[in-house]
Amino acid sequence: MDKKQPEKIKCKNCNKEIDPDEFLINFNICPNCGYHGYVGAMKRIQITSDEGSFNEMAQDLNSVDFLNFYDLKSYSSRLTEARLKSGLNEAIVVGDARINGFRTSLGVMDFSFMGGSMGSVVGEKIKILADYSIANKLPLIIFCASGGARMQEGIISLMQMAKTVSCINRLRENKIPYICLITNPTTGGVSASFATVADIIISEPGTLFCFAGPRVVEQTIKKAVPPDFGSAERNLRNGQVDMIVERKDIKDILARLLKLFKN
Amino acid sequence: MDKKQPEKIKCKNCNKEIDPDEFLINFNICPNCGYHGYVGAMKRIQITSDEGSFNEMAQDLNSVDFLNFYDLKSYSSRLTEARLKSGLNEAIVVGDARINGFRTSLGVMDFSFMGGSMGSVVGEKIKILADYSIANKLPLIIFCASGGARMQEGIISLMQMAKTVSCINRLRENKIPYICLITNPTTGGVSASFATVADIIISEPGTLFCFAGPRVVEQTIKKAVPPDFGSAERNLRNGQVDMIVERKDIKDILARLLKLFKN
Amino acid sequence: MDLNEIKEIPKNYFKETLRSFFKLEKLKRISHFSGVHFNDAEKELAKKIENYKKVEKEAIKTWKIVELSRNENRPHTPDYISNIFEDFIELSGDRQTAEDKSITAGLGKINGATVAVIGHNKGKDIKERVEFNFGMSMPQGYRKSQRVMQLAGRFGFPIITFIDTPGAYAALEAEDSGQASAIAKSLLTMFELEVPVIVVLIGEGGSGGALALAIGNYVMMLENSTYSVISPEGCAAILWNDPSGSKLAARALKLTSRSLLHMGVIDRIIFEPLGGAQTDPVRMVRILKRYIVLALDKFKNTDGKQLKEQRAQKFETMGFLAESSQDLFSDK
Amino acid sequence: MDLNEIKEIPKNYFKETLRSFFKLEKLKRISHFSGVHFNDAEKELAKKIENYKKVEKEAIKTWKIVELSRNENRPHTPDYISNIFEDFIELSGDRQTAEDKSITAGLGKINGATVAVIGHNKGKDIKERVEFNFGMSMPQGYRKSQRVMQLAGRFGFPIITFIDTPGAYAALEAEDSGQASAIAKSLLTMFELEVPVIVVLIGEGGSGGALALAIGNYVMMLENSTYSVISPEGCAAILWNDPSGSKLAARALKLTSRSLLHMGVIDRIIFEPLGGAQTDPVRMVRILKRYIVLALDKFKNTDGKQLKEQRAQKFETMGFLAESSQDLFSDK
Ligand SMILES: [Zn+2]
Ligand SMILES: [Zn+2]
């Protein structure tokens, strides 16, 4: 058989070679050092929700280049590229799902779609998901992964921070629980909006979670930031997250929390 | 004439001799360094409220030695001594008053009555005053001066913290403004209860305002506290008080605040 | 109320007792040899000594409770949490500046219903004790607990608190982070709650730091736990310099469950296994669980507004005072 | 919307323009000497150059506004406060860990009614600017403003905010005190308010730090103020390395009052005296006062719940998107 073996890959953290099959089976976690590698929205949904239970919503919403934003490329071409690269039509996938039998509204961001940046579509999908939660009295669960606001939508991307927080405010008024999962990385406009107003905030180990990224902070304070800057462990110590949970245990902890909230 | 001149007194802060008449006229403020000396409840009422406007309430409430608390002296004898020394029957005087024409509920603590400590009577008088505020829709103003809870009433003195905060909670529900004046010293059970849940907190300059006093803290941390420990200035920097106002300006600022709250 | 006759205790209590004793012996000797009798003086001194002895005995008895309340082998908050509640999940952080491990907070189930559980945590070994600051909380701890209480309030979860602290942390950094304000806000938050709040004093109930989590619709106290406005040591330091001072202060402060029930500060004493909770922690936990279930049942059908009102009523009526219309200063 | 034809800007924009220009000249020369004509190529290049020039012109125009918005002589929050409101009293502190002077908050009167006023404060001279951290707030600043907003909400006082910040402070201590959480909570608090909230962008409206105080029922913008998701410099640093990048980024971000009104992000532009607010601050203040009074009047008879709903509605409908039922990956 001349069928090619998949290429060996290297861990971004410990730099050791990993067997790609093992990496894949192990939820993209380095079997050597436990580093939690990138995992896309679809895989995340697969490992978090009950098999076949996810029903995607609002998949037909697409971003438009309403500012004619030029960059090295136009926003339109970036969107096309991102769609092809990620296999998604935007940086978040939302839908109805079951987690160990508990029905929820589930939103999962994907960093591979333009760095998980939040533009009009991400905001609108979160609104649709929150409205769905309220209408069906379903707990809301969102996995964050984002570099922040989507610059290419200018001020409108900033307004998505307000928009999403307003949705969460209505969720709170309706006494719907909201659990937020912080995955690597979660920064900027997402961390300063819907991510941090959750009832429960759970972080994956080693996740960068901050408002301003380390390089921006270094530029401001003119010195190096500590090596654990923005890390899950530092955030736990600083009171920013409720707990750090390994990827393999997230489904279980979610199910346990859902059981508690389903009083 | 052989009528005696009042004895010269020394400023507790700058140690300079002060003319007692000048000190008295100057609201017990050192004319040399501006140190705000002790001022009793009755004098405080006089300099804060419009002449003749104060009508005392609940002056017939007296503390009882329900624990038979022995000390170097019994609580009962301490109470008698405090009454004679202060000319008051408890560590707070409460009543209805006008401040530049604005009608208010006014409570003034007096440090000379057993260190302004809070026992059952202080708690009850604050309750009566708060109830009066609610019934008559009058803003509540309290001048604090207290070493904390009254040990001689044991656990019941601790319960006065709960009691007074509950009264303030009802005041808040009734949307009655509450302004608290922090005077020297305000510590312990008073600072950790009704004093710090005020809408507006004003401190006199140089006032010690803290939970645990400097000596207690020094015992805990086994080193000297900074010279400005618990000072009004440090508290302003640490976000604990809204403003520092000199004694002579307090009536004016209260009137201005009352005007703002009388919408 | 358990009154005692002695009202004034001299500065150096034990020396004074001894002096009285010798004085009595001397009087007795004089009357024996001289035939002159000092009956009144003798009687007075004998009574004084008797009272001193009674006070001493009471003080020692109270002190034993103080020691029991601090016994390291007593079950602590984590022991109660893990054995009383199912599916407990701990929540961390004040979402502002810190996670304070001296307070444990989280959600769990009891008898099928979700509740929030919050309690002081002194730590189980030296390492934990240091990490948890011996159960003395920073303002951040009280802010975390407020966050969890508000969350419970929003979702209608009853709240159970376990009190076990020497007191709020008295340190510069605590003061600079608003310790007074944090405790006061904690009280305010608890008065705002529209869910049942069940408080259990399980060990040391030290001052404002204990009260901050203790505004309950129903307050229970383990037999050998204490609850006091000031530690006996702190009280003695102010009153006497005698090494026996702490014991006397403990007695004077009436900090035991019996005295507190008597004064109406607590609603129920939960009796401990003979010798104290530490002799049979498993049984202690089992007993407490029953009482918590009973307490929760009490408020099952009470609506939020009523719960809030009952709590306000309960604490606003605490106090002993006398009303007299006589003018204390009539001769002035 | 003000669309432009160029969609793709090469990395080194000015060099590229120059190169196109030379290429065009060369084509012209060749056709002149050879008689061979390159009409299509010539036309394309000419159009490209024309577009580049247009973009450049627009960028320079926008940049002037960016500079105006940052002009130190512009009236700042304290100038508006002291000249628009009577009886203003400043309130300080978050009641937790700090007083952040980069945000000024307090109560005052306008047209006889009490309002809360909250605004970024960049400081009027070097000393103040350093003390106020150039208007870049710490989490404590947003917590103070939340406290004052909640106070206003409780007493029914309308809230007026002045936005003027380069952005929230990006420093280690800010991160460690929960900058992200503080901004998010500020947004949440503003959505909870049941009083009218009037927002005025008076200078620099930088990112999340600006938005944190900008959830208004009515949002007004001074003609030469800006409001952007990222500073032009920050944007250019990401997009180009060309020194002219900031100007191009400013244009691309559409951060001017005209663009924002066009996009429905703001409700009104308040025109400034000729040359900018700094040329006649007295008049600027007078004009703004009128608009604030008008804005407050608008919501005079709206009840609390409606105000909250209107605010939610306003911000939840912001966004531009397309719905398509075509499967983007049909060929996969
Ligand atoms: Zn690895
Ligand atoms: Zn002096």
Side-chain angles (χ1 to χ4, degrees):
Chain A
M1 301 211 305
D2 56 82
K3 202 183 165 193
K4 260 188 188 165
Q5 279 291 93
E7 268 180 274
K8 285 274 177 190
I9 52 173
K10 271 190 178 179
C11 170
K12 279 188 184 174
N13 185 47
C14 69
N15 222 24
K16 288 215 174 140
E17 274 200 353
I18 316 172
D19 171 29
D21 287 353
E22 200 179 339
F23 189 64
L24 207 64
I25 292 164
N26 200 20
F27 308 130
N28 298 7
I29 296 167
C30 170
N32 181 50
C33 72
Y35 175 76
H36 283 51
Y38 159 80
V39 61
M42 285 310 173
K43 175 151 187 176
R44 176 71 74 174
I45 289 165
Q46 193 209 53
I47 64 183
T48 307
S49 62
D50 300 346
E51 206 177 329
S53 74
F54 185 75
N55 286 305
E56 194 176 346
M57 302 186 301
Q59 66 268 61
D60 296 334
L61 295 184
N62 290 301
S63 293
V64 292
D65 184 10
F66 57 90
L67 289 183
N68 273 303
F69 197 92
Y70 51 76
D71 181 338
L72 298 182
K73 295 164 189 164
S74 72
Y75 181 31
S76 306
S77 21
R78 284 209 180 272
L79 285 169
T80 308
E81 274 178 27
R83 282 173 193 134
L84 291 171
K85 178 185 162 200
S86 65
L88 303 169
N89 77 332
E90 251 300 335
I92 191 169
V93 176
V94 302
D96 182 317
R98 282 184 188 274
I99 294 176
N100 285 7
F102 293 101
R103 210 180 137 201
T104 68
S105 297
L106 178 65
V108 180
M109 299 189 79
D110 194 313
F111 196 75
S112 75
F113 193 103
M114 293 189 76
S117 58
M118 174 160 66
S120 301
V121 172
V122 170
E124 183 66 14
K125 281 190 165 186
I126 288 174
K127 177 174 162 60
I128 288 167
L129 191 66
D131 286 341
Y132 185 81
S133 270
I134 295 168
N136 296 284
K137 298 195 184 307
L138 295 180
L140 175 64
I141 294 173
I142 301 181
F143 284 80
C144 297
S146 173
R150 187 168 298 168
M151 212 165 51
Q152 290 86 350
E153 295 194 14
I155 193 74
I156 295 297
S157 69
L158 188 69
M159 292 302 129
Q160 302 313 305
M161 290 173 64
K163 175 171 180 165
T164 54
V165 171
S166 179
C167 296
I168 301 306
N169 183 42
R170 287 189 296 109
L171 203 76
R172 290 166 69 91
E173 289 177 342
N174 283 278
K175 300 177 193 305
I176 309 284
Y178 163 35
I179 304 166
C180 187
L181 286 293
I182 308 294
T183 75
N184 192 32
T186 297
T187 69
V190 165
S191 58
S193 67
F194 66 87
T196 37
V197 292
D199 295 311
I200 312 280
I201 302 180
I202 300 171
S203 177
E204 279 195 340
T207 294
L208 178 73
F209 175 35
C210 55
F211 176 61
R215 261 166 305 177
V216 175
V217 169
E218 285 179 341
Q219 270 168 21
T220 311
I221 63 175
K222 315 275 185 226
K223 58 178 175 185
V225 295
D228 68 344
F229 176 90
S231 71
E233 295 69 22
R234 192 180 180 99
N235 278 314
L236 185 68
R237 214 165 56 237
N238 288 335
Q240 307 306 325
V241 300
D242 281 298
M243 59 196 99
I244 300 173
V245 178
E246 287 186 34
R247 188 171 293 161
K248 67 177 174 49
D249 300 323
I250 284 182
K251 184 174 183 179
D252 177 57
I253 196 95
L254 283 176
R256 287 170 58 203
L257 281 165
L258 290 169
K259 188 180 169 195
L260 285 169
F261 278 109
K262 196 180 184 104
N263 202 12
Chain B
M1 303 216 299
D2 57 76
K3 200 182 163 191
K4 262 189 187 164
Q5 279 291 93
E7 268 180 274
K8 286 277 176 186
I9 51 174
K10 272 188 177 179
C11 170
K12 280 187 183 172
N13 187 46
C14 68
N15 221 21
K16 288 219 173 138
E17 275 202 349
I18 316 172
D19 173 28
D21 288 354
E22 201 180 338
F23 189 64
L24 207 65
I25 292 164
N26 201 20
F27 309 128
N28 300 6
I29 295 166
C30 169
N32 181 50
C33 72
Y35 174 75
H36 282 51
Y38 160 79
V39 61
M42 286 308 172
K43 177 154 185 176
R44 176 72 72 176
I45 290 165
Q46 193 207 53
I47 65 183
T48 308
S49 64
D50 300 348
E51 206 177 329
S53 74
F54 186 74
N55 286 307
E56 193 177 347
M57 301 185 302
Q59 65 267 64
D60 295 335
L61 296 184
N62 289 302
S63 294
V64 291
D65 185 9
F66 58 91
L67 288 183
N68 274 304
F69 197 92
Y70 52 74
D71 185 336
L72 299 182
K73 296 165 191 162
S74 71
Y75 181 30
S76 305
S77 20
R78 285 210 180 272
L79 285 168
T80 309
E81 273 178 27
R83 282 173 193 134
L84 290 169
K85 180 186 162 200
S86 67
L88 303 168
N89 76 332
E90 252 300 341
I92 192 168
V93 176
V94 304
D96 181 317
R98 281 185 188 274
I99 293 174
N100 285 6
F102 292 101
R103 213 180 134 199
T104 67
S105 298
L106 178 63
V108 181
M109 299 189 81
D110 194 313
F111 195 76
S112 75
F113 193 102
M114 293 190 75
S117 58
M118 173 160 65
S120 300
V121 172
V122 170
E124 183 66 14
K125 281 189 165 186
I126 287 174
K127 176 172 162 61
I128 289 168
L129 191 66
D131 285 341
Y132 185 82
S133 270
I134 294 168
N136 296 283
K137 297 194 185 305
L138 295 180
L140 174 65
I141 294 173
I142 300 182
F143 284 81
C144 296
S146 174
R150 188 168 297 168
M151 212 165 49
Q152 291 86 352
E153 296 194 14
I155 193 75
I156 296 296
S157 69
L158 187 70
M159 292 303 128
Q160 303 313 304
M161 291 171 65
K163 176 170 179 164
T164 53
V165 171
S166 178
C167 296
I168 302 306
N169 184 42
R170 287 189 295 109
L171 203 78
R172 290 165 71 91
E173 289 178 340
N174 281 279
K175 300 175 191 304
I176 308 285
Y178 164 34
I179 304 166
C180 186
L181 286 293
I182 308 295
T183 74
N184 193 34
T186 297
T187 68
V190 165
S191 58
S193 66
F194 65 87
T196 35
V197 291
D199 296 310
I200 311 280
I201 302 180
I202 301 172
S203 177
E204 279 195 342
T207 294
L208 178 72
F209 175 36
C210 54
F211 177 60
R215 261 166 305 173
V216 175
V217 169
E218 284 178 341
Q219 270 168 23
T220 311
I221 62 174
K222 315 276 183 224
K223 59 179 177 184
V225 297
D228 69 344
F229 176 89
S231 71
E233 295 68 22
R234 191 180 180 98
N235 278 314
L236 185 67
R237 214 166 55 237
N238 287 334
Q240 307 305 325
V241 300
D242 281 298
M243 58 195 98
I244 299 173
V245 179
E246 288 188 32
R247 188 169 293 162
K248 67 176 172 51
D249 299 324
I250 285 183
K251 184 173 183 177
D252 177 58
I253 196 96
L254 283 176
R256 286 170 58 204
L257 281 165
L258 290 168
K259 189 180 169 194
L260 285 169
F261 279 108
K262 196 179 184 104
N263 199 12
Chain C
M1 213 165 306
D2 162 27
L3 304 178
N4 50 305
E5 286 152 37
I6 296 176
K7 287 230 167 179
E8 312 213 354
I9 286 282
K11 185 148 185 165
N12 199 323
Y13 164 73
F14 280 104
K15 268 190 200 145
E16 200 64 28
T17 314
L18 219 60
R19 191 154 35 218
S20 297
F21 183 74
F22 287 129
K23 211 167 159 188
L24 177 63
E25 291 301 306
K26 203 174 155 190
L27 283 178
K28 276 180 181 166
R29 263 201 318 275
I30 292 170
S31 52
H32 180 74
F33 290 109
S34 66
V36 182
H37 291 283
F38 304 92
N39 276 338
D40 284 4
E42 269 185 44
K43 267 185 198 154
E44 203 188 311
L45 275 170
K47 196 176 154 196
K48 222 172 173 177
I49 288 168
E50 202 185 312
N51 278 331
Y52 283 160
K53 283 183 175 166
K54 189 181 146 204
V55 166
E56 201 191 344
K57 217 171 131 188
E58 282 178 20
I60 288 164
K61 221 169 110 187
T62 306
W63 190 251
K64 274 190 185 145
I65 295 176
V66 170
E67 286 180 325
L68 273 176
S69 77
R70 296 172 179 171
N71 188 307
E72 290 179 356
N73 298 317
R74 263 177 104 73
H76 288 121
T77 293
D79 304 304
Y80 292 114
I81 288 180
S82 59
N83 291 296
I84 292 179
F85 305 96
E86 289 149 42
D87 306 316
F88 182 77
I89 292 185
E90 188 176 343
L91 303 178
S92 309
D94 65 350
R95 297 277 193 278
Q96 295 178 4
T97 61
E99 154 65 358
D100 181 347
K101 292 194 150 291
S102 70
I103 292 178
T104 300
L107 303 177
K109 287 219 181 242
I110 183 167
N111 257 21
T114 303
V115 294
V117 191
I118 298 165
H120 300 103
N121 193 343
K122 288 181 166 183
K124 65 175 187 300
D125 50 35
I126 287 295
K127 196 181 149 278
E128 271 198 7
R129 270 176 216 128
V130 170
E131 194 186 349
F132 299 179
N133 201 25
F134 303 89
M136 297 182 289
S137 305
M138 287 281 291
Q140 284 83 352
Y142 300 114
R143 292 190 185 118
K144 169 174 72 174
S145 78
Q146 285 169 60
R147 180 175 76 82
V148 175
M149 284 179 189
Q150 282 163 341
L151 185 146
R154 197 143 38 81
F155 291 106
F157 302 152
I159 297 169
I160 289 124
T161 70
F162 295 110
I163 312 300
D164 190 19
T165 177
Y169 192 40
L172 183 62
E173 58 190 314
E175 292 293 329
D176 283 351
S177 303
Q179 187 67 285
S181 177
I183 294 172
K185 291 268 165 65
S186 186
L187 298 173
L188 191 68
T189 299
M190 294 194 84
F191 279 114
E192 288 170 344
L193 290 167
E194 300 195 351
V195 292
V197 181
I198 311 298
V199 173
V200 192
L201 289 124
I202 57 168
E204 221 177 340
S207 188
L211 183 72
L213 303 184
I215 308 301
N217 293 92
Y218 199 71
V219 180
M220 304 190 284
M221 195 163 167
L222 296 200
E223 185 185 2
N224 297 311
S225 65
T226 56
Y227 196 6
S228 179
V229 65
I230 185 169
S231 71
E233 289 85 349
C235 183
I238 297 171
L239 302 184
W240 310 287
N241 287 318
D242 198 293
S244 58
S246 299
K247 294 189 181 74
L248 286 173
R251 175 186 165 281
L253 288 164
K254 302 273 185 293
L255 43 62
T256 63
S257 56
R258 271 165 233 259
S259 299
L260 287 159
L261 184 71
H262 203 90
M263 287 188 271
V265 169
I266 61 162
D267 299 295
R268 176 182 283 279
I269 297 174
I270 296 174
F271 289 95
E272 301 183 11
L274 206 68
Q278 77 287 351
T279 62
D280 193 347
V282 173
R283 201 167 144 224
M284 185 71 256
V285 169
R286 203 169 57 222
I287 291 168
L288 182 53
K289 180 169 182 172
R290 270 219 224 151
Y291 280 108
I292 290 174
V293 169
L294 283 173
L296 285 170
D297 272 349
K298 252 185 229 300
F299 299 101
K300 222 173 187 171
N301 301 314
T302 318
D303 95 309
K305 300 266 173 239
Q306 276 179 294
L307 286 166
K308 191 159 82 170
E309 234 176 84
Q310 187 259 10
R311 226 178 292 121
Q313 190 67 19
K314 182 182 176 68
F315 285 90
E316 286 190 33
T317 49
M318 283 187 192
F320 293 101
L321 42 80
E323 205 155 340
S324 81
S325 59
Q326 92 194 81
D327 188 345
L328 288 158
F329 310 106
S330 55
D331 58 348
K332 265 189 92 180
Chain D
M1 212 162 306
D2 162 29
L3 304 179
N4 48 306
E5 286 154 35
I6 298 178
K7 288 231 169 181
E8 312 210 357
I9 286 283
K11 185 147 187 167
N12 199 325
Y13 164 73
F14 280 104
K15 267 191 204 145
E16 199 65 25
T17 314
L18 218 61
R19 189 153 38 218
S20 299
F21 183 76
F22 286 129
K23 209 166 161 190
L24 179 63
E25 290 300 308
K26 202 173 157 192
L27 285 177
K28 277 182 180 165
R29 263 201 318 276
I30 293 171
S31 54
H32 179 78
F33 289 111
S34 67
V36 182
H37 290 283
F38 305 92
N39 276 340
D40 284 359
E42 268 184 46
K43 265 185 197 154
E44 204 190 310
L45 275 169
K47 199 177 155 196
K48 221 174 177 180
I49 289 169
E50 202 184 313
N51 278 331
Y52 283 158
K53 282 184 175 167
K54 191 182 146 204
V55 167
E56 198 192 347
K57 218 171 132 186
E58 280 178 21
I60 288 164
K61 222 169 111 186
T62 306
W63 190 252
K64 275 192 183 146
I65 294 176
V66 171
E67 286 181 324
L68 272 177
S69 77
R70 296 171 178 172
N71 188 308
E72 291 177 356
N73 299 317
R74 262 175 105 74
H76 288 120
T77 293
D79 304 305
Y80 290 115
I81 288 180
S82 60
N83 292 297
I84 291 178
F85 305 96
E86 289 149 43
D87 305 316
F88 181 77
I89 292 183
E90 188 176 345
L91 303 178
S92 309
D94 65 350
R95 297 279 191 274
Q96 296 179 2
T97 61
E99 154 65 0
D100 182 346
K101 292 194 151 292
S102 70
I103 291 179
T104 300
L107 302 176
K109 288 218 179 244
I110 183 167
N111 257 20
T114 302
V115 294
V117 190
I118 297 165
H120 299 102
N121 193 344
K122 287 182 168 182
K124 65 176 188 297
D125 50 36
I126 287 295
K127 194 179 149 279
E128 272 199 5
R129 268 174 218 129
V130 171
E131 194 186 347
F132 300 178
N133 201 23
F134 303 90
M136 296 180 290
S137 304
M138 287 281 291
Q140 284 82 351
Y142 300 114
R143 293 189 184 121
K144 168 173 75 175
S145 79
Q146 284 169 60
R147 181 176 74 83
V148 175
M149 283 177 191
Q150 281 163 341
L151 186 145
R154 196 142 39 82
F155 291 105
F157 302 152
I159 296 168
I160 290 121
T161 70
F162 295 109
I163 311 300
D164 190 17
T165 178
Y169 192 39
L172 183 62
E173 59 190 313
E175 292 294 330
D176 282 351
S177 302
Q179 187 68 284
S181 176
I183 293 171
K185 291 269 166 61
S186 186
L187 298 173
L188 191 68
T189 300
M190 295 194 84
F191 280 113
E192 287 170 344
L193 290 167
E194 300 195 352
V195 292
V197 181
I198 310 298
V199 173
V200 192
L201 289 124
I202 57 169
E204 219 177 340
S207 190
L211 183 71
L213 304 183
I215 308 301
N217 293 92
Y218 199 72
V219 180
M220 305 191 283
M221 197 164 167
L222 296 200
E223 184 184 4
N224 298 311
S225 64
T226 56
Y227 196 6
S228 180
V229 67
I230 187 169
S231 70
E233 289 87 349
C235 183
I238 297 171
L239 303 185
W240 309 285
N241 288 316
D242 199 292
S244 59
S246 300
K247 294 190 182 71
L248 286 175
R251 173 189 166 281
L253 287 164
K254 301 275 186 292
L255 44 63
T256 63
S257 56
R258 268 164 235 258
S259 299
L260 286 159
L261 185 70
H262 202 91
M263 286 187 269
V265 170
I266 63 162
D267 299 296
R268 176 181 282 279
I269 297 173
I270 297 174
F271 288 95
E272 301 183 12
L274 206 68
Q278 77 286 353
T279 63
D280 194 347
V282 173
R283 203 169 142 221
M284 186 70 255
V285 169
R286 204 169 59 222
I287 291 168
L288 181 54
K289 179 170 184 170
R290 269 218 225 151
Y291 280 107
I292 289 174
V293 169
L294 283 173
L296 285 169
D297 272 349
K298 251 185 232 298
F299 299 100
K300 222 173 186 170
N301 301 314
T302 318
D303 95 312
K305 301 266 173 242
Q306 275 180 296
L307 286 166
K308 192 159 81 169
E309 234 176 83
Q310 186 258 7
R311 227 178 291 120
Q313 191 66 19
K314 183 181 175 70
F315 285 89
E316 285 188 35
T317 50
M318 283 186 191
F320 294 102
L321 41 82
E323 206 157 341
S324 81
S325 58
Q326 92 195 79
D327 188 346
L328 288 157
F329 310 106
S330 52
D331 56 349
K332 263 192 95 182

